[in-house]
Amino acid sequence: MCRKLPGLLIAFFALLLVSCQKELDGDIIPGTVKIRFEGIVDGAQLRMNSPYRNAFNEDFTVTTFKFYVSNLTVTDRSGNSYRDAGYYLIDAADAGTREINLIPEIPDVASISFLLGVDSIRNVSGAQTGALDPANGMFWTWNSGYIMAKLEGVSSFATTPNGEFTYHVGGFGGTNNALKTIRLDIAGDTALIPNDGTLMVVIGAEVQRWFKGTNDLRIGANAFVHSPGELARRYADNYATMFSIQSVNPE
Amino acid sequence: MKKLYFFSTLLVAALAGLVILDACNKKDAQAAAPLTPLQFRVPQGFPAPTYNFENNSLTQEGFDLGKKLFYDGRLSQDGNFPCGSCHQQFAAFATFDHPFSHGFDNQFTTRNAPGLFNMAWLKEMHWDGGINHIEVQPLAPITAPNEMAETIDNVIAKLREDEDYKNRFRRVFGDEEINSQRMLKALAQFVAMLVSADSKYDRVRRGEQSFSAIEQEGYGVFQQKCVSCHTEPLFTDNSFRNTGLPVNPRLNDVGRMAITNNPADSLRFKVPSLRNVYLTFPYGHDGRFFSIGGVIDHYRSNVVNGPTTDPLVRNGIPVSDDEKYALLQFLRTLTDSTFLTDPRFAEVR
């Protein structure tokens, strides 16, 4: 053993060098699509605890803005698509949660679609983990199911004792299903994904759409929603229109 | 001299590597030691269970971890309210003698704790069916401020600090990670194994024993008047029904409607299993009946009719005094002493 050992070690290191060399030779390396979600208010970046006014002239600040993104799909101009299997909890206050990296192995991105929320199957499949861990505060313990999107803040128009409004929107089945499929098309037809590079797509989520969209939802009329039902669905109908592509650039 | 020095260094490095490799393998070997599979037995004549352990491999080690968690007060804020404090084995895992159960800071629950047995056959849990999967049920009492009053993060933090839990989680799940999903799956292994199917009634069905004359008579009454809702062999059809109980204005508990928002579900509650019924008093979603006779009297003459009152009880259920007595004797035969004293389910002290 002792006599063979130096020989073995030399062979081992030689192998290492050879395999490293193999990696450096060029196959085409597919590029990354980096999708970043930004909270925005009136088109500008959302600032937590900053004062704003909504379409009904109600003052508000935002203290929490979170939502689930799942079933992310990117499609190229020829119709080929790549679907990501991940579940992401986007927290507007936490930069570490806002970016999703995909390697779709398609040449360009013509459109992006995703489910705003957690699909029904996951809502009835028992204990989940990662972004779906109930410790994230996005799972109702007494009426099993995920909170798809959460908006909280303070307003003098909120009729709650502490002036807080808390919109926890959920419901994954039946007439008041709050799940929304969002589809965004790239302006100018499509964007190329650079080989061995990154295409950055910034998607804005406009908070004002929660209050004024398909429905007029004044803070003064409802300061909270905490269960599936018609009111939750109306908030979902509203915020389904909150997304827009802010920019598409190679990084 | 230089050559010798070079090769000695290489040798030492290589040997060090081998030692590290061996140590790593040992730890992995510990985690990877085969677990002891447990079999979930479906009792004779029972339907297929709803829960199937497909994503939660049932093992003795997993079951033992779940049991330890079930009886561990640290899942509650002040240490006083483990699951086992409201779910007592000698009461078929209901709360003995209490309409509502004690919770944190001298508070009470707002619904009667059901007995825990044959849970693997349930689709929904809780009187209003708000829980859609056995694995996520513990989240409700753990986080309820009037029950165990804890947060999931705090519970996990406590588990992560405990050497015994660290070893058990590594053994059961293969690595050191302790998270809510693993905790809940372990609990589900324990709770799903609570099967009650060895009462006198079961032994009679298996041909091992016979009913006495009065028990047989009571069984006949039961099959005539009760079985549409309390269907054999689970003694519930797991449906939600309004049994005409007058509303308690202090609670205003609308039952299933709180979950479905459907007015047709107003005042509907889940049909409880009658197994071990003599141990799980008081009865009803708010524990308003302290005797089974009281429940029978309700069906005989006290049903309150409303828009959602179940058609099966709307006109009352006529039961003579003799039939009532016989029925009570039959219901005694649903007591499963094996289950109540099974050491597998008992708290380890």
Side-chain angles (χ1 to χ4, degrees), chain A:
Chain A
M1 184 58 186
C2 281
R3 251 179 257 149
K4 282 192 186 157
L5 198 56
L8 277 171
L9 282 167
I10 290 164
F12 171 68
F13 284 118
L15 258 170
L16 255 179
L17 279 167
V18 169
S19 54
C20 283
Q21 190 62 39
K22 268 213 176 104
E23 267 196 47
L24 292 168
D25 288 340
D27 289 309
I28 294 174
I29 295 171
T32 302
V33 175
K34 187 185 289 195
I35 299 175
R36 178 156 80 208
F37 286 91
E38 296 269 4
I40 57 180
V41 185
D42 299 320
Q45 187 169 42
L46 161 68
R47 283 188 149 68
M48 293 296 180
N49 297 300
S50 246
Y52 298 106
R53 282 207 174 259
N54 65 17
F56 311 107
N57 211 22
E58 296 170 318
D59 61 285
F60 70 93
T61 65
V62 176
T63 54
T64 303
F65 182 27
K66 297 186 190 183
F67 51 89
Y68 277 111
V69 166
S70 66
N71 297 280
L72 251 175
T73 306
V74 291
T75 307
D76 71 13
R77 88 160 79 100
S78 318
N80 304 305
S81 54
Y82 165 85
R83 189 157 97 166
D84 181 76
Y87 290 83
Y88 306 95
L89 178 55
I90 310 293
D91 181 351
D94 184 353
T97 67
R98 295 197 307 235
E99 282 180 3
I100 299 168
N101 287 307
L102 307 174
I103 302 179
E105 295 187 1
I106 52 178
D108 57 272
V109 180
S111 72
I112 296 175
S113 71
F114 55 90
L115 185 68
L116 197 315
V118 180
D119 45 76
S120 341
I121 285 279
R122 289 282 181 149
N123 278 275
V124 300
S125 300
Q128 307 290 317
T129 193
L132 298 177
D133 192 325
N136 291 322
M138 298 287 282
F139 187 81
W140 281 315
T141 59
W142 49 273
N143 184 354
S144 312
Y146 282 93
I147 297 168
M148 311 303 178
K150 186 187 271 192
L151 182 71
E152 295 178 343
V154 179
S155 166
S156 63
F157 287 79
T159 52
T160 47
N162 52 12
E164 284 177 8
F165 61 86
T166 52
Y167 304 129
H168 298 181
V169 178
F172 56 90
T175 18
N176 291 310
N177 190 336
L179 286 165
K180 295 293 178 190
T181 300
I182 313 296
R183 181 191 155 136
L184 302 167
D185 292 324
I186 305 286
D189 182 38
T190 196
L192 289 170
I193 305 173
N195 284 331
D196 196 16
T198 302
L199 182 71
M200 165 78 93
V201 181
V202 179
I203 297 178
E206 172 62 70
V207 173
Q208 294 285 16
R209 300 301 274 168
W210 281 66
F211 308 111
K212 186 150 179 76
T214 339
N215 304 289
D216 287 349
L217 293 172
R218 292 173 161 76
I219 299 170
N222 293 288
F224 55 86
V225 61
H226 285 210
S227 59
E230 206 209 307
L231 182 59
R233 196 202 19 98
R234 292 170 80 211
Y235 277 103
D237 287 342
N238 272 16
Y239 68 53
T241 62
M242 70 175 167
F243 294 102
S244 62
I245 295 182
Q246 302 288 289
S247 65
V248 185
N249 289 308
E251 206 178 35

Side-chain angles (χ1 to χ4, degrees), chain B residues 266-326:
Chain B
S266 173
L267 303 179
R268 282 188 177 164
F269 297 89
K270 192 148 68 77
V271 175
S273 170
L274 296 184
R275 285 179 170 277
N276 300 299
V277 68
Y278 265 86
L279 280 311
T280 59
F281 64 93
Y283 310 107
H285 65 272
D286 53 10
R288 66 177 70 182
F289 297 112
F290 264 82
S291 70
I292 305 172
V295 178
I296 297 173
D297 288 342
H298 164 75
Y299 286 128
R300 288 209 283 193
S301 36
N302 297 325
V303 169
V304 168
N305 285 329
T308 61
T309 307
D310 199 278
L312 288 173
V313 309
R314 191 172 265 280
N315 299 315
I317 304 177
V319 179
S320 73
D321 288 345
D322 285 343
E323 287 174 327
K324 177 178 167 185
Y325 180 76

